[in-house]
């Protein structure tokens, strides 16, 4: 077989037109590697080599496109190549690393700051995610060691304040337990969660007052006097209010 014409396509690839009316879409690197600009003759062995090279560059360019959309860890790329049974997996990964398209340190830094500023995640959860991405422990430690703790503290306090405001119908006790549970799951330190909760919670009794009024309206249809107080007290206790809070609101409402 002989190459009759080499034509560049809009996609950046090249079309090789053969004398047997066949055509091959390929890459400039493949043309140069196989010296096709000067050697126009192609036998079956050379044709098979061209197809093999095309498969390699097709896969390589797909991976480059993946990375251009979002940085990927080496493990992610390796998993993708394994899933697609790519023979030249090691060669592709080595090339991507040589041009810095795979760099787990850069990936870890970018992931850390993305999660810090674009999510509610805390450090422990981010660290766990980086482990899942296959990032080396030493890289994770180095990246986290340069993190400004004040950024985490400021973020945590803002989340705590927002949760306090959006859960004003809960008792302080139940609210505290909920916030601790939620934020530990997001990767924050329990002691710091408690600190910022205690710092920002108030003794505002609007929640228990609202609950008391609702219970009084309902239970006063069935009970009265001490029995009514007892029933209200039990219900408020079940909702997580402390004995101090309950006795205070009952005394206020009784006077």
């Amino acid at each position: 077989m002989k190459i009759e014409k080499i034509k560049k396509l809009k996609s950046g690839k090249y079309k090789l037109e053969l004398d047997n009316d066949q055509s091959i879409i390929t890459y400039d690197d493949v043309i140069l590697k196989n010296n096709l600009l000067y050697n126009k003759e192609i036998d079956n062995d050379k044709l098979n080599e061209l197809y093999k090279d095309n498969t390699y560059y097709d896969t390589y360019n797909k991976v480059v496109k993946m990375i251009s959309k979002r940085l990927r860890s080496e493990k992610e790329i390796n998993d993708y190549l394994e899933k697609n049974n790519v023979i030249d997996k090691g060669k592709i990964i080595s090339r991507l690393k040589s041009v810095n398209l795979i760099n787990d340190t850069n990936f870890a830094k970018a992931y850390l700051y993305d999660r810090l500023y674009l999510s509610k995640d805390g450090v422990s959860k981010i660290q766990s995610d980086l482990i899942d991405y296959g990032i080396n422990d030493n890289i994770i430690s180095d990246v986290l060691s340069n993190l400004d703790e004040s950024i985490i503290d400021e973020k945590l306090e803002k989340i705590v304040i927002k949760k306090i405001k959006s859960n004003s119908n809960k008792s302080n006790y139940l609210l505290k337990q909920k916030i601790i549970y939620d934020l530990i799951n997001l990767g924050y330190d329990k002691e710091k969660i408690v600190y910022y909760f205690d710092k920002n919670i108030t003794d505002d009794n609007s929640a228990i007052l609202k609950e008391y009024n609702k219970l009084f309206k309902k239970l006063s249809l069935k009970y009265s006097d001490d029995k009514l107080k007892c029933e209200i007290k039990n219900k408020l206790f079940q909702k997580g209010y402390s004995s101090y809070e309950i006795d205070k609101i009952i005394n206020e409402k009784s006077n």
Side-chain angles (χ1 to χ4, degrees):
M1 290 172 285
K2 184 178 179 181
I3 300 174
E4 294 284 349
K5 186 178 181 181
I6 299 177
K7 180 181 179 182
K8 186 172 183 179
L9 305 176
K10 289 182 179 180
S11 63
K13 297 181 183 180
Y14 289 81
K15 183 178 182 180
L16 308 182
E17 297 180 356
L18 308 181
D19 59 1
N20 62 356
D21 293 330
Q22 282 185 287
S23 63
I24 302 171
I25 307 299
T26 190
Y27 300 87
D28 53 354
D29 286 341
V30 176
I31 292 172
L32 294 173
K33 176 187 174 185
N34 293 278
N35 198 30
L36 300 181
L37 290 175
Y38 306 102
N39 183 10
K40 303 289 186 175
E41 295 291 333
I42 299 178
D43 57 20
N44 286 330
D45 288 339
K46 177 61 72 174
L47 187 62
N48 288 332
E49 191 173 342
L50 290 180
Y51 284 132
K52 182 180 177 182
D53 287 342
N54 270 353
T55 299
Y56 167 81
Y57 281 102
D58 282 342
T59 305
Y60 178 82
N61 287 323
K62 281 181 183 178
V63 175
V64 170
K65 190 174 181 180
M66 285 171 55
I67 296 172
S68 70
K69 293 178 179 178
R70 175 179 68 78
L71 287 181
R72 312 277 174 164
S73 68
E74 182 175 345
K75 179 180 182 297
E76 283 185 280
I77 300 302
N78 187 69
D79 290 348
Y80 170 80
L81 296 175
E82 280 192 355
K83 182 180 178 181
N84 289 278
N85 300 313
V86 175
I87 298 174
D88 293 321
K89 179 182 67 175
K91 182 180 176 182
I92 290 173
I93 289 178
S94 294
R95 183 177 179 188
L96 290 168
K97 291 174 80 171
S98 71
V99 294
N100 215 33
L101 287 176
I102 290 181
N103 184 315
D104 278 355
T105 298
N106 289 345
F107 173 87
K109 288 178 180 178
Y111 187 85
L112 170 64
Y113 285 98
D114 277 352
R115 302 316 294 164
L116 281 179
Y117 293 106
L118 301 177
S119 79
K120 294 181 180 180
D121 294 348
V123 172
S124 294
K125 188 173 187 306
I126 295 171
Q127 183 176 5
S128 177
D129 289 345
L130 287 173
I131 292 172
D132 291 339
Y133 277 112
I135 307 302
N136 181 279
D137 288 342
N138 291 332
I139 292 177
I140 296 175
S141 295
D142 287 343
V143 170
L144 293 181
S145 67
N146 293 317
L147 180 62
D148 186 348
E149 283 292 325
S150 65
I151 296 175
I152 298 296
D153 291 344
E154 183 180 350
K155 178 181 177 181
L156 174 57
E157 184 168 18
K158 286 180 179 178
I159 294 174
V160 169
I161 291 172
K162 187 173 181 180
K163 282 186 170 290
I164 289 173
K165 289 180 178 179
S166 63
N167 290 275
S168 59
N169 61 325
K170 289 182 171 61
S171 69
N172 287 355
Y173 173 78
L174 289 182
L175 177 56
K176 187 174 190 176
Q177 298 311 306
K178 173 179 170 53
I179 290 177
I180 289 173
Y181 176 81
D182 289 348
L183 296 190
I184 284 179
N185 285 337
L186 283 177
Y188 292 95
D189 177 72
K190 182 179 178 180
E191 288 186 5
K192 287 194 173 183
I193 299 170
V194 172
Y195 171 78
Y196 286 115
F197 178 86
D198 291 343
K199 177 184 175 183
N200 290 284
I201 197 66
T202 65
D203 291 328
D204 179 18
N205 69 344
S206 58
I208 190 172
L209 177 60
K210 183 178 179 181
E211 198 63 44
Y212 174 90
N213 289 334
K214 185 166 67 174
L215 288 170
F216 183 88
K217 183 177 181 180
K218 178 181 178 181
L219 296 174
S220 61
L221 298 173
K222 188 175 181 180
Y223 305 104
S224 61
D225 301 328
D226 290 342
K227 181 63 175 175
L228 175 59
K229 291 180 182 180
C230 184
E231 290 295 326
I232 291 176
K233 188 171 185 176
N234 288 337
K235 294 292 184 182
L236 290 174
F237 188 75
Q238 290 171 16
K239 291 180 178 293
Y241 293 100
S242 67
S243 296
Y244 171 77
E245 291 175 300
I246 296 170
D247 288 340
K248 182 180 178 183
I249 194 68
I250 287 177
N251 289 334
E252 287 178 0
K253 299 298 288 186
S254 299
N255 294 331

